[in-house]
Amino acid sequence: MSAYEDRLKALREQLVRERLDGFVVPLTDEHMSEYVGEYAQRLAWLTGFQGSAGSAVVLPEEAAIFVDGRYTLQVREQVDAAYWQFESVPQTSVAAWLGVHAPQGGRIGYDPWLHTRAWVKAASEALAERGAELVAVETNPVDAVWPDRPAPSDARLVVHEDRYAGQSAAEKRQAMGDWLTEKKADGVVLSALDSIAWTFNIRGKDVSRTPVALAYAIVHDDATADLFVAPEKIDEAVVQHLGNAVRVRSRADFAGALRDMAGKTVAADPERAVAAIFEALDAGGATILPVRDPAVLPKAIKNPVEIAGHKAAQARDGAALSRFLHWIAVETPKGGVDELSAAARLEAFRKETGLLEDLSFDTISGAGPNGAVVHYRVEEKTNRTIEQGSFYLVDSGGQYRDGTTDVTRTIAIGKPSEEMKRRFTLVLKGHIALARAQFPIGTRGSQLDVLARQFLWAEGLDYAHGTGHGVGSFLSVHEGPQRIATAGGNDEPLQPGMILSNEPGYYRTGEYGIRIENLVLVERRDVPGAEREMLGFETLTFAPIDRNAIAVDILTAEERAWVDAYHANVVGIVGPQLDGDALLWLEQACAPL
């Protein structure tokens, strides 16, 4: 019996003890985070799935795991099909599946600290059709059978200085207090970790790859606040930074504080605050104002200091990546370079800057067919040598105090086939079309997504992920609310100061993957004679795009000019940071097409 079979059996036995006929296990924490601390990795512990998004349902006789198109291949490699059914999102959902598979009249458990109110409503309605009910548990049954579950991190908070933030925490709280006054509300609950980090200008080390601290906050209309965090995580420097207007309270006091809001009007975000928060406010007699977390939009719209810091981080990171690309060019022809050693070497180049705080996510280092796994995560058993005649896809990023980076390059190792070059160039044409886009203010990312896909679509090809996501400022590498994608719920207008990725791709299962990703800044455009205010993108990421993978004959004159201008900028920004053979290589890699 495998470890994962044992764990599934132990959970089913625990559910019997708790008189439950099933349980839902999402990959998130009590802050609805995308990336979570080790203590919250319940889905990975139970199933073996290592992706960053997914859910599972365990019933007495069957179990299912739900992932989106990014993880279609990965889930089948990591999770045992003997015990788990594989379900695709958004084609189905946990709620819809329960509406068909839950036992008639059954009791399906869920942890109210790990789901939104909307999810609870949808699942309850689906279950009602089978005469079944959704039952909130007081303690998570996975935790009861996870014997060596890690404790939450006890890392200290750190101050994020105003020279990086560009605005003091007091100013941010005052703006939030003014917003509450306008809304005729007494306070707002902040539970998203990046919102708390941004609002209070603090950072932490509680979540791998994302510099946030486990905390909750309530900001009041007088611009004072309560910050709920484990006391041992706070030192004198943070106390001084927070000042007298911020009361530091134990994280364990948070639920009680919500119940103490009787008679007050309290704002809470239905998307980012879990069901348990709304239940505690309801139980205490508060009037709930369901609105978006007021940190979300100002956090997404970077101020001039954050933009300058981001550009500095990008220039530094681009030099580290360029050194790595030179190393790949020199070392792979010799043989022996594999995905793990390449990822380690890239991290070493970033560390040599002396300013790297962490990676911004686990490096996706995919050789040949592993590059076709969209969110591939290399490990010993999947590690491949980077071979001649293949594509090597590397998606990586760094966390620096002044900015967060995210960049993907696809590298032709040796001589690529004509098909590989053509499809690389179709992806490149889409990347260029989006980079050159000019659009009126009020445009949504969903309106631009087709620009990046059009050349692939013309040949019956596509990719199963979004084209762009927001990026934080020494915060989450995936940050909303803006994105560029075809999926629903993507209606946030793009505004100057927002940073997004531009990352079309193509994946030929079992053979190779292609993705070209730069970060871009939304900026105002001065268009002579324009009757509307116009916006466009400034490219922020600078590192060579592999000329050896480009079928130059299918680029238009304008597209060739874009590539040449981009590479001239790479030499101008990255070149002064290199010397010797690396500089010579860069100049050749960026020569005009």
Side-chain angles (χ1 to χ4, degrees):
M1 186 180 284
S2 73
Y4 295 112
E5 186 183 359
D6 284 343
R7 292 169 188 181
L8 185 57
K9 182 172 182 284
L11 179 57
R12 282 182 166 137
E13 290 170 353
Q14 181 66 22
L15 296 181
V16 170
R17 286 190 286 273
E18 297 190 21
R19 296 189 307 109
L20 294 172
D21 301 295
F23 189 70
V24 182
V25 185
L27 201 177
T28 190
D29 60 11
E30 55 273 36
H31 306 276
M32 297 305 297
S33 306
E34 177 182 16
Y35 298 110
V36 302
E38 290 298 317
Y39 78 97
Q41 290 280 2
R42 297 177 180 92
L43 187 68
W45 178 84
L46 181 65
T47 68
F49 176 62
Q50 299 293 323
S52 62
S55 295
V57 179
V58 176
L59 299 177
E61 301 298 330
E62 57 184 332
I65 184 165
F66 300 75
V67 298
D68 62 36
R70 295 171 295 172
Y71 300 108
T72 303
L73 299 179
Q74 183 176 338
V75 73
R76 284 162 173 78
E77 291 174 356
Q78 295 176 336
V79 178
D80 193 336
Y83 309 108
W84 294 92
Q85 300 171 33
F86 303 123
E87 299 291 339
S88 296
V89 176
Q91 288 84 349
T92 188
S93 66
V94 170
W97 190 88
L98 282 170
V100 175
H101 294 262
Q104 288 283 350
R107 302 175 78 248
I108 306 300
Y110 78 102
D111 185 337
W113 287 96
L114 300 178
H115 297 275
T116 63
R117 236 181 8 168
W119 181 90
V120 171
K121 182 174 184 287
S124 296
E125 289 172 353
L127 286 168
E129 293 181 16
R130 296 186 67 78
E133 64 175 323
L134 196 62
V135 180
V137 298
E138 287 195 19
T139 57
N140 195 303
V142 175
D143 300 350
V145 296
W146 185 355
D148 52 354
R149 180 177 171 235
S153 163
D154 59 0
R156 294 270 179 104
L157 278 66
V158 295
V159 176
H160 187 57
E161 299 172 35
D162 290 3
R163 65 190 173 112
Y164 299 123
Q167 187 182 21
S168 73
E171 290 172 311
K172 293 176 180 180
R173 288 197 322 275
Q174 186 58 59
M176 218 167 270
D178 294 344
W179 174 86
L180 285 165
T181 300
E182 286 175 22
K183 297 283 185 186
K184 295 182 170 55
D186 300 291
V188 59
V189 175
L190 301 181
S191 58
L193 298 181
D194 59 342
S195 289
I196 294 165
W198 180 86
T199 300
F200 293 90
N201 284 352
I202 53 175
R203 299 294 188 266
K205 295 187 176 181
D206 292 348
V207 176
S208 176
R209 313 307 195 198
T210 308
V212 293
L214 293 171
Y216 296 101
I218 301 173
V219 179
H220 305 279
D221 59 352
D222 62 359
T224 65
D226 294 280
L227 181 65
F228 300 86
V229 62
E232 63 271 16
K233 296 169 69 65
I234 299 278
D235 63 15
E236 188 55 35
V238 172
V239 170
Q240 291 290 328
H241 163 73
L242 293 172
N244 295 333
V246 178
R247 294 170 288 275
V248 178
R249 302 173 61 178
S250 171
R251 185 171 153 85
D253 293 343
F254 176 62
L258 295 175
R259 288 190 289 271
D260 291 342
M261 302 286 278
K264 296 187 182 298
T265 299
V266 182
D269 188 334
E271 273 188 55
R272 293 168 181 82
V274 295
I277 288 173
F278 287 90
E279 289 165 11
L281 289 169
D282 275 334
T287 299
I288 300 173
L289 183 64
V291 292
R292 185 160 73 185
D293 170 345
V296 167
L297 198 55
K299 173 164 56 65
I301 299 172
K302 308 299 184 272
N303 63 47
V305 170
E306 290 172 318
I307 291 169
H310 191 94
K311 289 180 178 180
Q314 286 287 358
R316 180 187 317 124
D317 197 70
L321 179 57
S322 296
R323 288 190 182 95
F324 170 75
L325 295 175
H326 168 242
W327 179 85
I328 284 283
V330 170
E331 295 299 324
T332 52
K334 302 174 185 176
V337 177
D338 59 28
E339 295 166 343
L340 282 171
S341 63
R345 194 70 193 90
L346 177 52
E347 183 172 1
F349 280 121
R350 283 193 166 103
K351 284 180 176 174
E352 286 170 15
T353 66
L355 294 172
L356 184 73
E357 295 286 332
D358 195 359
L359 300 183
S360 55
F361 54 96
D362 291 333
T363 298
I364 298 169
S365 176
N370 286 343
V373 181
V374 178
H375 271 209
Y376 173 66
R377 183 174 175 180
V378 59
E379 51 191 355
E380 288 290 350
K381 67 180 181 182
T382 64
N383 187 29
R384 290 180 66 93
T385 300
I386 301 174
E387 298 173 342
Q388 294 296 301
S390 70
F391 272 153
Y392 170 58
L393 186 154
V394 58
D395 185 349
S396 67
Q399 291 284 9
Y400 304 93
R401 289 289 173 116
D402 49 359
T404 298
T405 69
D406 181 4
V407 52
T408 308
R409 288 296 181 264
T410 304
I411 307 153
I413 307 299
K415 186 174 173 57
S417 70
E418 290 306 308
E419 178 197 278
M420 292 163 73
K421 289 180 69 169
R422 183 172 186 86
R423 294 188 176 178
F424 180 94
T425 310
L426 296 176
V427 172
L428 176 60
K429 287 167 75 73
H431 179 98
I432 294 168
L434 187 57
R436 296 178 63 212
Q438 192 166 275
F439 46 92
I441 198 159
T443 298
R444 277 80 171 153
S446 56
Q447 295 170 273
L448 302 178
D449 184 79
V450 67
L451 295 176
R453 297 180 194 266
Q454 59 181 313
F455 305 101
L456 289 164
W457 283 1
E459 300 198 9
L461 310 172
D462 200 5
Y463 51 93
H465 59 76
T467 301
H469 57 82
V471 176
S473 182
F474 188 41
L475 270 178
S476 301
V477 73
H478 292 162
E479 177 181 273
Q482 75 278 17
R483 56 197 294 259
I484 301 171
T486 54
N490 176 26
D491 61 353
E492 187 67 35
L494 301 184
Q495 296 191 45
M498 288 179 168
I499 293 173
L500 300 103
S501 64
N502 171 4
E503 52 177 310
Y506 169 74
Y507 310 90
R508 190 166 178 82
T509 301
E511 295 191 30
Y512 58 85
I514 300 163
R515 189 159 64 250
I516 303 169
E517 176 186 19
N518 288 337
L519 300 189
V520 295
L521 172 71
V522 182
E523 61 174 3
R524 298 183 194 280
R525 286 283 165 86
D526 183 14
V527 180
E531 296 181 353
R532 294 190 60 186
E533 186 177 347
M534 300 298 291
L535 304 175
F537 294 122
E538 176 187 353
T539 295
L540 299 172
T541 305
F542 292 99
I545 295 168
D546 192 351
R547 294 163 74 256
N548 297 321
I550 301 174
V552 179
D553 59 315
I554 63 171
L555 292 180
T556 65
E558 290 85 358
E559 289 165 344
R560 290 197 297 273
W562 184 93
V563 173
D564 288 345
Y566 176 76
H567 276 151
N569 279 329
V570 172
V571 172
I573 290 167
V574 172
Q577 301 177 72
L578 305 185
D579 55 24
D581 290 346
L583 178 56
L584 287 173
W585 173 86
L586 182 78
E587 289 169 348
Q588 292 167 357
C590 295
L593 293 174

